Amino acid sequence: KKRLFRCITRLWGLCLSAVSMKSDGTMRHLISLREQSREDLLAILQLARMLKAKRMAGQPSEYLSQKTLIMLFQKTSTRTRLSFETAMTELGGHAIFLDARTTQFALTDFKTEIQAIMRFGHLLVFRARRSADVAFAASCNRIPVIDACSEKYHPAQALGDVLTMLEYSGSIHRIKKVAWLGIENNVSNSLMLACVKLGISFVLVSPEVDPESVDRELTVEAEATGLVIRTLDMAYALHNADYVHTDTWMNMEFFEDGHVKEEWREEYERRKKVFQPFQLNAALIDAYAPHARIMHCMPCHVGYEITHDALYHPRSIIFDQAENRLHVQKAILAWLLCGY
Ligand code: CP
């Protein structure tokens, strides 16, 4: 009996590692989207649409039964935490949320502790202060790792955004032009790369880049497609845009308990002045892009990067965008672990 049990356990382990491996023998991760091909992105989007349809039809999708998702967060979250936890429940598995502040990370070396953490689950979702730490976790090739919004990337957000645009446009080929207003940052990095890999033109209307978010290799790869345009001419940028996105001009680190930390006060005030002309508001959309849909990854700082009249504009699809994090992340988890 013992031998049989060992044999079954070993076979299951081999099976699991085989399906989450790429053809070159390395494990699948979702970090910067540089690792994914156009076909990979399309496969995840197709799976997301199938899972969303099943959910709407009341059908179960318990593809990750008996699997555990470890969610390690070094920064605050509303949507990412909720959507990944719900995704894992609906896939028949279990998610464990770890607020890094309540763990032993402060007492020990990061690399040692993260290797121990990965022994307990089948997937790791990591909202890290430093993308280098996500890269280290992935380099261990123990379990698939997802960057859940580091200073450089937010791939699950980008895929949720593309899913939303796909639903509204009907097909990828009908999404011609996406405009990004405000600060160039982690979210715009991932959205830009996802868009250009799918053949969509991406226009950046950004007077500044968040210095922490710079990834030169990603930028070079995106710009090599010829689909990235940089301009500060709002009329040109928004002409014939299908979707207009924005994001907060401020970083999560600037805030504590809902207030701006004193050490970031000066930068906070400076950014408000620099980015004000690039605010997404109803007058701008009505004047330059009346057929575009309005998007924001949330949380919104209403009155700053977006106005109340843009958030609740008839062309706003911001709440559908938030919900789609759930559907696309179910697809990401299944794709990473099972290779669907
Ligand atoms: N868009 C996003 O990642 O939201 P949270 O920071 O609330 O997770």
Side-chain angles (χ1 to χ4, degrees):
K1 264 190 184 170
K2 266 188 188 163
R3 219 179 297 151
L4 181 64
F5 179 74
R6 270 203 304 272
C7 185
I8 290 171
T9 310
R10 194 150 169 269
L11 272 175
W12 176 241
L14 282 173
C15 182
L16 200 56
S17 58
V19 289
S20 56
M21 291 288 183
K22 292 193 285 187
S23 54
D24 62 3
T26 56
M27 184 161 277
R28 282 178 169 172
H29 303 286
L30 193 83
I31 310 289
S32 69
L33 293 183
R34 292 190 68 210
E35 322 80 47
Q36 275 73 44
S37 65
R38 171 188 164 85
E39 288 65 36
D40 290 338
L41 300 186
L42 291 172
I44 293 169
L45 292 166
Q46 191 180 0
L47 183 55
R49 295 189 91 176
M50 186 274 279
L51 290 167
K52 186 169 180 177
K54 275 177 85 90
R55 187 181 195 258
M56 287 170 78
Q59 294 167 1
S61 51
E62 297 180 347
Y63 302 114
L64 298 189
S65 157
Q66 301 297 315
K67 301 293 180 296
T68 299
L69 171 66
I70 311 275
M71 297 175 52
L72 175 62
F73 279 51
Q74 295 177 334
K75 297 186 281 192
T76 52
S77 168
T78 303
R79 277 145 293 274
T80 305
R81 177 181 178 179
L82 272 171
S83 49
F84 270 115
E85 284 199 30
T86 309
M88 204 56 189
T89 303
E90 293 188 6
L91 289 168
H94 178 60
I96 299 175
F97 178 78
L98 285 177
D99 178 340
R101 290 169 304 184
T102 63
T103 64
Q104 307 291 32
F105 273 99
L107 305 182
T108 184
D109 167 56
F110 168 79
K111 290 185 176 177
T112 316
E113 199 72 346
I114 195 74
Q115 287 181 81
I117 279 183
M118 289 192 289
R119 293 292 176 114
F120 295 100
H122 301 93
L123 292 142
L124 174 67
V125 162
F126 188 7
R127 174 162 282 194
R129 277 191 292 272
R130 293 170 357 109
S131 56
D133 289 341
V134 185
F136 173 78
S139 74
C140 297
N141 270 326
R142 183 88 204 174
I143 56 175
V145 174
I146 299 170
D147 184 320
C149 189
S150 62
E151 83 287 14
K152 287 191 182 0
Y153 317 115
H154 202 351
Q157 178 70 54
L159 289 173
D161 295 351
V162 176
L163 175 63
T164 312
M165 296 190 282
L166 176 58
E167 287 177 343
Y168 275 91
S169 291
S171 94
I172 286 291
H173 306 291
R174 290 209 195 116
I175 313 171
K176 301 287 183 202
K177 183 176 176 183
V178 170
W180 177 273
L181 307 188
I183 194 162
E184 194 175 336
N185 65 5
N186 48 359
V187 179
S188 68
N189 279 346
S190 297
L191 185 61
M192 172 174 70
L193 194 57
C195 283
V196 298
K197 281 193 179 202
L198 294 167
I200 302 163
S201 175
F202 194 80
V203 186
L204 282 153
V205 195
S206 304
E208 280 186 19
V209 183
D210 176 15
E212 283 202 324
S213 73
V214 174
D215 177 340
R216 292 199 196 290
E217 289 178 351
L218 181 148
T219 305
V220 167
E221 183 177 328
E223 288 180 349
T225 62
L227 291 169
V228 177
I229 298 164
R230 289 171 197 278
T231 178
L232 296 183
D233 180 338
M234 198 66 92
Y236 171 70
L238 297 192
H239 181 66
N240 282 340
D242 299 300
Y243 298 91
V244 182
H245 286 247
T246 192
D247 187 12
T248 175
W249 306 326
M250 312 303 171
N251 298 358
M252 289 181 207
E253 291 77 10
F254 292 7
F255 303 95
E256 191 167 51
D257 299 328
H259 299 287
V260 181
K261 288 186 198 166
E262 255 339 285
E263 70 214 80
W264 288 108
R265 167 75 50 196
E266 199 181 329
E267 177 62 5
Y268 175 80
E269 296 299 337
R270 190 193 71 80
R271 287 194 188 187
K272 279 201 291 190
K273 287 197 188 82
V274 169
F275 292 104
Q276 185 61 37
F278 303 91
Q279 181 189 65
L280 206 175
N281 55 57
L284 186 79
I285 291 295
D286 296 343
Y288 296 125
H291 303 295
R293 306 269 181 189
I294 297 169
M295 301 185 74
H296 190 308
C297 56
M298 303 181 96
C300 303
H301 291 83
V302 178
Y304 297 99
E305 79 277 0
I306 191 163
T307 52
H308 185 273
D309 62 10
L311 174 56
Y312 293 101
H313 193 281
R315 305 296 294 173
S316 168
I317 54 171
I318 290 171
F319 295 103
D320 291 336
Q321 182 184 0
E323 181 195 318
N324 274 336
R325 295 288 304 279
L326 167 64
H327 308 297
V328 91
Q329 286 163 197
K330 283 166 77 173
I332 290 167
L333 294 168
W335 183 81
L336 285 173
L337 200 54
C338 303
Y340 286 110

